[in-house]
Amino acid sequence: MQQALPYRTWVPPTSSSSSTVVVAANSDNPQPPLPPQNSPNSIKTRANLQKLVSENPVIVFGGSGCCMCHVVKRLLLGLGVNPPVVAVDDPLEVAVIRELAGIGGSDPQFPVVFVGGKQFGGLERVMATHISGELVPILKQAGALWL
Amino acid sequence: MDSPTAQFVTSRRMGIFEPIHQISMWEDFKVDGCQIASASMIVEVNTKIDNQSEDSSQGTPRSSNKFHQGTSKPPDKVLRRLAQNREAARKSRLRKKAYVQQLETSRLKLVQLEQEVERARQQGLYVGDGIDTRHLGYSGNVNSGINTFEMEYELWVKEQDRQICELRTALNCHVVDRDLRSLVDGSMKHYFDLFQMKATAAKADVFYLMHGIWKTSAERFFSWIGGFRPTELLKILVAQLDLADQQVYDVCNLRQSCQQAEDALSQGMDKLQQILAETVAAGQVTLAMEKSEALVRFVNQADHLRQVTLQQMSRILTTHQAARGLLNLGEYCQRLRTLSSLWATRPCEPA
């Protein structure tokens, strides 16, 4: 069944899968976020992150080259969800986590999944709720799944 | 040392029918610390002695004759006999406790001695073959985290054997659900304890954990990220269980979720393998070492998946079914271990 494509404002790099976005470091950014450009060097601020989180029913944030991220993504794909995966480069990791903590809630650690605009948890929570059968209804409620 | 073992194995198969043999055997093992019997024997003795001592209705061998004499059983004699029984049982338990403690200390000393011997052997100072130094691990390295794990695992297996026995007895005797429930919970907690142990050991040597080195060879054949596949666990748990319709549906869903989670982890592992291969091929061994840290998380996640699968299973099944299922699982593991040792000792064709 065709799933609606998640809304993306950045052109993804060609090498990775279609829904991966790369966040690169940019030294100083005092101004409000610039309009999105065709470049992976876009700056993430809390407003941008907030936008990502609220506009996507499901979104995954993780470190770059993180295999756990891959696991979360494969699991969600297997359920019929195609979430955007934001791969955060090492230098930005701490900053992004701090911002995400401000948005979502409590002490996020990569990989972290946001569902319905709120922090859902890491791989452990995803697996535990999937096994207990709670995950699919939650995803449906957030509009990530239709059936 | 062989005859008590043989005698005991026979007694065990016959069940709790040989009180005389077992009491005399117990008295042979006085608390003087000089006899290092194999721990398995002692645990089995303990089980039987517990069954013997606490079941006072069986009577002591000495007074059994008196019990059958005549039709009248003066109550004060009965009471006195029961009191003597209780006292004997209490003393027996205290002796057992002291003996087991001495045994554990001796065991630790033994492992240390083995390590010393192996070290000396590697330095070419000592050539002997009577001592089994397998405990030092496949690489011969003295890794204290792994040594601790191996010691703890051996105790864990003995406890598992004891619990399996208890489950079997309880199911055969049709005990009340409440007692069965506590056995089930205890059994599950025992598995969760193992996951904790593995998490600690993974930090010491994750490759050791990944390959299930501590297990027997047949168990290792089924190894997936350091243990059984969760779907495999499910299959074994529900084998030959009589399930209600709703339960069949729930188990089916659980199996599917389990499979999906397993596949996701497998794919993550494949990706990690690929990354590691590329890093090593590029000559970046130090970087590869850092990336190998991710393996620790995989072992933890795999064990976590096993844990939540077991927990969900115990929600779906009734207490009785759960007890049956856990017995299935325990016996399956025991049979794999038997298979391993049979295979290791099978007669080989002459070259």
Side-chain angles (χ1 to χ4, degrees):
Chain A
M1 158 165 179
Q2 247 351 60
Q3 300 293 330
L5 289 177
Y7 177 66
R8 291 189 300 280
T9 53
W10 289 270
V11 173
T14 48
S15 52
S16 11
S17 77
S18 63
S19 63
T20 305
V21 179
V22 175
V23 179
N26 195 322
S27 44
D28 43 30
N29 175 38
Q31 305 108 333
L34 303 166
Q37 293 168 9
N38 233 14
S39 129
N41 285 331
S42 307
I43 298 123
K44 288 260 191 279
T45 63
R46 178 178 294 204
N48 280 354
L49 288 174
Q50 177 70 69
K51 194 160 180 247
L52 274 178
V53 161
S54 46
E55 286 177 353
N56 290 292
V58 182
I59 181 167
V60 182
F61 295 91
S64 57
C66 167
C67 295
M68 284 297 160
C69 245
H70 194 71
V71 175
V72 173
K73 177 167 176 181
R74 301 308 308 191
L75 184 53
L76 290 171
L77 273 176
L79 298 179
V81 181
N82 188 12
V85 176
V86 178
V88 179
D89 280 347
D90 247 355
L92 277 188
E93 195 173 305
V94 174
V96 172
I97 287 192
R98 203 174 43 231
E99 299 303 322
L100 287 175
I103 300 173
S106 41
D107 191 28
Q109 295 192 357
F110 283 165
V112 63
V113 181
F114 279 72
V115 176
K118 290 194 300 241
Q119 180 175 329
F120 182 74
L123 178 58
E124 255 182 47
R125 177 136 197 251
V126 171
M127 291 229 271
T129 48
H130 184 44
I131 294 297
S132 66
E134 297 163 328
L135 183 60
V136 167
I138 291 176
L139 290 174
K140 282 189 186 165
Q141 199 175 27
L145 267 182
W146 295 268
L147 245 176
Chain B
M1 234 21 175
D2 274 349
S3 49
T5 314
Q7 177 186 29
F8 188 76
V9 167
T10 321
S11 312
R12 187 185 178 193
R13 287 211 195 93
M14 291 163 67
I16 320 170
F17 298 130
E18 304 284 344
I20 299 174
H21 287 167
Q22 278 144 29
I23 286 189
S24 63
M25 255 181 69
W26 180 234
E27 271 153 13
D28 281 344
F29 292 98
K30 293 290 194 303
V31 184
D32 59 7
C34 292
Q35 309 202 18
I36 302 181
S38 75
S40 61
M41 241 170 75
I42 296 305
V43 172
E44 289 164 346
V45 172
N46 294 339
T47 317
K48 291 295 166 270
I49 294 300
D50 271 348
N51 288 337
Q52 159 63 26
S53 315
E54 268 127 45
D55 188 3
S56 55
S57 62
Q58 276 193 323
T60 61
R62 263 168 256 108
S63 54
S64 57
N65 288 333
K66 260 197 208 157
F67 196 73
H68 290 299
Q69 269 175 14
T71 49
S72 64
K73 301 156 195 173
D76 53 345
K77 276 199 184 159
V78 171
L79 287 174
R80 197 182 56 195
R81 183 175 55 75
L82 289 174
Q84 282 174 345
N85 233 7
R86 272 196 296 276
E87 192 51 43
R90 196 180 69 83
K91 289 205 181 121
S92 177
R93 279 194 289 273
L94 288 174
R95 280 205 303 275
K96 169 179 95 172
K97 197 172 165 198
Y99 182 65
V100 169
Q101 272 173 348
Q102 285 219 335
L103 199 67
E104 311 239 89
T105 327
S106 305
R107 204 181 177 289
L108 285 171
K109 262 191 252 170
L110 188 66
V111 173
Q112 280 169 2
L113 281 173
E114 282 178 352
Q115 289 177 10
E116 276 185 38
V117 165
E118 182 60 25
R119 247 178 266 138
R121 194 183 278 161
Q122 284 186 348
Q123 294 170 26
L125 296 176
Y126 170 69
V127 178
D129 53 16
I131 299 177
D132 173 17
T133 51
R134 255 183 305 132
H135 290 284
L136 292 178
Y138 64 103
S139 63
N141 281 336
V142 183
N143 184 330
S144 66
I146 296 303
N147 282 337
T148 310
F149 174 73
E150 284 187 334
M151 286 192 315
E152 288 179 343
Y153 179 68
E154 219 164 305
L155 291 173
W156 186 91
V157 169
K158 298 197 166 58
E159 174 63 18
Q160 195 199 26
D161 287 341
R162 190 194 67 80
Q163 287 185 353
I164 292 168
C165 254
E166 254 188 340
L167 272 173
R168 194 183 294 128
T169 313
L171 284 168
N172 287 340
C173 297
H174 307 291
V175 303
V176 296
D177 260 15
R178 197 182 59 231
D179 293 340
L180 209 52
R181 185 79 236 164
S182 71
L183 286 182
V184 165
D185 290 341
S187 198
M188 302 246 293
K189 181 177 180 299
H190 196 53
Y191 284 111
F192 302 164
D193 287 344
L194 179 61
F195 299 150
Q196 280 287 92
M197 284 159 52
K198 285 167 71 182
T200 313
K203 294 186 201 131
D205 185 348
V206 75
F207 292 110
Y208 176 94
L209 253 294
M210 282 290 310
H211 297 302
I213 303 289
W214 73 92
K215 297 189 178 200
T216 59
S217 41
E219 289 171 296
R220 256 180 267 146
F221 177 63
F222 293 95
S223 188
W224 173 83
I225 315 187
F228 281 120
R229 286 178 177 274
T231 45
E232 194 66 36
L233 286 176
L234 272 185
K235 247 191 277 176
I236 301 165
L237 280 167
V238 295
Q240 295 155 5
L241 283 187
D242 234 339
L243 297 177
D245 287 343
Q246 180 64 39
Q247 288 179 319
V248 171
Y249 177 74
D250 289 337
V251 168
C252 206
N253 283 341
L254 177 56
R255 191 178 293 136
Q256 189 182 29
S257 313
C258 220
Q259 186 68 63
Q260 287 164 331
E262 229 176 82
D263 289 344
L265 277 173
S266 294
Q267 285 166 342
M269 282 291 290
D270 287 345
K271 176 134 196 267
L272 180 60
Q273 220 178 30
Q274 187 191 341
I275 291 179
L276 268 182
E278 286 167 0
T279 314
V280 170
Q284 300 164 305
V285 176
T286 320
L287 184 59
M289 220 182 71
E290 281 171 28
K291 296 198 181 283
S292 303
E293 295 285 322
L295 275 172
V296 177
R297 291 187 76 182
F298 272 99
V299 171
N300 293 341
Q301 290 300 328
D303 278 344
H304 175 251
L305 180 58
R306 289 175 188 115
Q307 179 158 337
V308 295
T309 303
L310 285 174
Q311 284 169 329
Q312 180 68 3
M313 228 0 198
S314 90
R315 274 179 226 127
I316 295 175
L317 299 177
T318 64
T319 306
H320 196 267
Q321 289 168 329
R324 227 338 33 104
L326 286 167
L327 181 59
N328 287 345
L329 182 56
E331 288 179 334
Y332 183 80
C333 295
Q334 283 177 332
R335 282 184 217 127
L336 279 183
R337 279 180 231 132
T338 308
L339 173 61
S340 301
S341 50
L342 283 177
W343 182 255
T345 55
R346 79 198 186 283
C348 287
E349 307 245 320

mmCIF file of all heavy atoms in Angstrom, chain A residues 9 71 76-77:
data_model
loop_
_atom_site.group_PDB
_atom_site.id
_atom_site.type_symbol
_atom_site.label_atom_id
_atom_site.label_comp_id
_atom_site.label_asym_id
_atom_site.label_seq_id
_atom_site.Cartn_x
_atom_site.Cartn_y
_atom_site.Cartn_z
ATOM 1 N N THR A 9 12.270 19.088 3.810
ATOM 2 C CA THR A 9 12.619 20.393 3.282
ATOM 3 C C THR A 9 14.043 20.435 2.747
ATOM 4 O O THR A 9 14.447 21.386 2.128
ATOM 5 C CB THR A 9 12.487 21.487 4.370
ATOM 6 O OG1 THR A 9 13.250 21.073 5.492
ATOM 7 C CG2 THR A 9 11.041 21.649 4.762
ATOM 8 N N VAL A 71 18.671 -0.231 12.870
ATOM 9 C CA VAL A 71 17.749 -1.228 13.422
ATOM 10 C C VAL A 71 16.369 -0.616 13.616
ATOM 11 O O VAL A 71 15.352 -1.199 13.227
ATOM 12 C CB VAL A 71 18.276 -1.783 14.753
ATOM 13 C CG1 VAL A 71 17.266 -2.721 15.383
ATOM 14 C CG2 VAL A 71 19.588 -2.499 14.545
ATOM 15 N N LEU A 76 10.714 -0.107 11.881
ATOM 16 C CA LEU A 76 9.569 0.707 11.514
ATOM 17 C C LEU A 76 9.162 0.457 10.060
ATOM 18 O O LEU A 76 7.972 0.386 9.735
ATOM 19 C CB LEU A 76 9.895 2.188 11.729
ATOM 20 C CG LEU A 76 10.011 2.585 13.210
ATOM 21 C CD1 LEU A 76 10.535 3.995 13.363
ATOM 22 C CD2 LEU A 76 8.671 2.443 13.912
ATOM 23 N N LEU A 77 10.156 0.289 9.203
ATOM 24 C CA LEU A 77 9.849 -0.014 7.802
ATOM 25 C C LEU A 77 9.049 -1.305 7.701
ATOM 26 O O LEU A 77 8.095 -1.407 6.924
ATOM 27 C CB LEU A 77 11.137 -0.159 6.991
ATOM 28 C CG LEU A 77 11.718 1.122 6.402
ATOM 29 C CD1 LEU A 77 13.040 0.826 5.716
ATOM 30 C CD2 LEU A 77 10.745 1.734 5.411
#
